[in-house]
Amino acid sequence: MGLIDVHAHFLLPEYVAAAERAGHVRPDGLPAWPEWSVQRHLDLMDSTGIAKSVLSVSSPGVHFGDDFRAQVLARRVNEAAAELGRQHPGRFGFFASLPLPDVDGALVEAQYALDVLQADGVVLTSNAGGQYPGDPSWDQLWRELDARSAVVFLHPTSPPQWRQVALDRPRPMIEFLFDSARAVADLALTGIFRRFPKVQFIIAHAGGVLPLLGDRLDLYAPDLPSVTPQLRELWYDVSGTPVADTDRLLYGSDYCFTPASAVVAQIAALDQSSAAVDWRTRTTANAVQLLGERVGV
């Protein structure tokens, strides 16, 4: 069995147009939107041994300030992703976009995507309109996802105060890693991981700076359950990072925001690394364990 890519992005022209109308002409400070086509994606998969890609919409997500338009856009990208799976059996799955911070709309879309479209899970950004995932208003969504034992792919986005902290640098360079850590810390410290244990979380980019945070969070929150063991129960994808020291590792390319040439180079580096012995077998087995029969390869 080939690689299973749990961190792969697709871009519809109407999605990019909606984002640009909302002011995201340079997404998260990048020079421009990348180009994507299904054929280019399949060509990359075939050349690198990727059997299946689980597609998702990347940052900045689908909510640009209007709940109704976010609901419509989420439905459009989710139905398009499901159609790609039907057109190319076994090659594409998807994590459904939700119109957060509109929790009511997110509940409707999660139910539709998981029940009707057969999504592999949902994608959430590290914050949604400045709300972090431990916000009490999200509890109903967590209850729904927990009842379904859903997979949640947590993808970074720009922090709400990015103008003050990014200093005109592309936010994926630094801020994405810190906002992922902020979101995961929030989930742990607000008890989401403990209260909704059936939700399976995938953390992008091997958790970024998270490995440094467990002991520190425990030091400053001694009255709460230890965070470090909770971090060990999460899944981590390897996109843009070396192989992490964890058994719960998954493969992620971050294509198309990571160019095809960089994806090829990282896979070659992983193949040559002594620290990455059997990384292909290891990550694929983990993806099968996590996604079950829906992997379909």
Side-chain angles (χ1 to χ4, degrees):
M1 187 182 296
L3 290 169
I4 299 171
D5 184 357
V6 301
H7 186 164
H9 300 305
F10 74 117
L11 288 171
L12 301 181
E14 55 263 53
Y15 170 76
V16 174
E20 289 184 337
R21 284 195 301 270
H24 298 279
V25 177
R26 299 178 63 225
D28 297 298
L30 295 175
W33 289 91
E35 294 184 1
W36 180 88
S37 75
V38 64
Q39 190 56 56
R40 288 180 183 176
H41 203 143
L42 288 167
D43 290 345
L44 174 66
M45 293 167 66
D46 291 341
S47 68
T48 54
I50 299 172
K52 182 168 188 174
S53 291
V54 185
L55 302 173
S56 59
V57 169
S58 184
S59 173
V62 296
H63 199 298
F64 303 127
D66 181 280
D67 286 352
F68 177 74
R69 290 184 177 181
Q71 294 164 19
V72 172
L73 187 57
R75 181 63 54 92
R76 172 69 184 107
V77 297
N78 292 337
E79 289 186 333
E83 180 61 23
L84 285 169
R86 288 189 292 269
Q87 292 174 353
H88 305 277
R91 304 309 305 275
F92 293 115
F94 77 103
F95 294 130
S97 294
L98 304 182
L100 288 165
D102 171 18
V103 175
D104 290 339
L107 280 165
V108 170
E109 192 58 29
Q111 292 162 356
Y112 177 78
L114 295 170
D115 291 342
V116 178
L117 300 181
Q118 296 298 296
D120 293 289
V122 301
V123 56
L124 304 183
T125 50
S126 51
N127 77 83
Q131 283 187 6
Y132 284 86
D135 192 284
S137 66
W138 292 29
D139 271 15
Q140 189 177 355
L141 176 62
W142 291 123
R143 281 193 291 272
E144 180 72 18
L145 296 175
D146 187 68
R148 296 167 175 273
S149 299
V151 175
V152 171
F153 177 45
L154 188 67
H155 191 281
T157 191
S158 296
Q161 73 281 19
W162 62 265
R163 288 180 177 83
Q164 287 73 38
V165 297
L167 303 177
D168 292 327
R169 302 181 182 101
R171 275 88 79 189
M173 180 189 296
I174 300 171
E175 302 314 319
F176 272 26
L177 300 180
F178 286 103
D179 212 59
S180 284
R182 191 175 290 111
V184 174
D186 188 54
L187 288 163
L189 295 175
T190 57
I192 299 299
F193 293 144
R194 290 180 291 103
R195 290 192 288 131
F196 306 105
K198 294 180 182 178
V199 179
Q200 297 290 309
F201 288 88
I202 302 172
I203 312 302
H205 305 296
V209 299
L210 272 178
L212 305 176
L213 282 183
D215 291 342
R216 194 163 186 84
L217 291 172
D218 290 340
L219 176 65
Y220 284 93
D223 297 330
L224 297 176
S226 177
V227 171
T228 301
Q230 297 178 61
L231 300 182
R232 297 194 189 106
E233 296 301 313
L234 309 178
W235 299 89
Y236 299 90
D237 83 53
V238 74
S239 57
T241 64
V243 171
D245 184 18
T246 174
D247 292 331
R248 297 173 70 83
L249 197 70
L250 300 161
Y251 173 66
S253 69
D254 198 18
Y255 184 77
C256 57
F257 282 84
T258 293
S261 58
V263 173
V264 171
Q266 188 195 23
I267 288 178
L270 290 172
D271 283 336
Q272 294 170 8
S273 172
S274 60
V277 175
D278 293 330
W279 73 273
R280 289 176 177 262
T281 301
R282 175 180 167 193
T283 59
T284 298
N286 284 344
V288 171
Q289 177 184 342
L290 178 63
L291 300 175
E293 295 179 357
R294 290 183 175 176
V295 169
V297 298

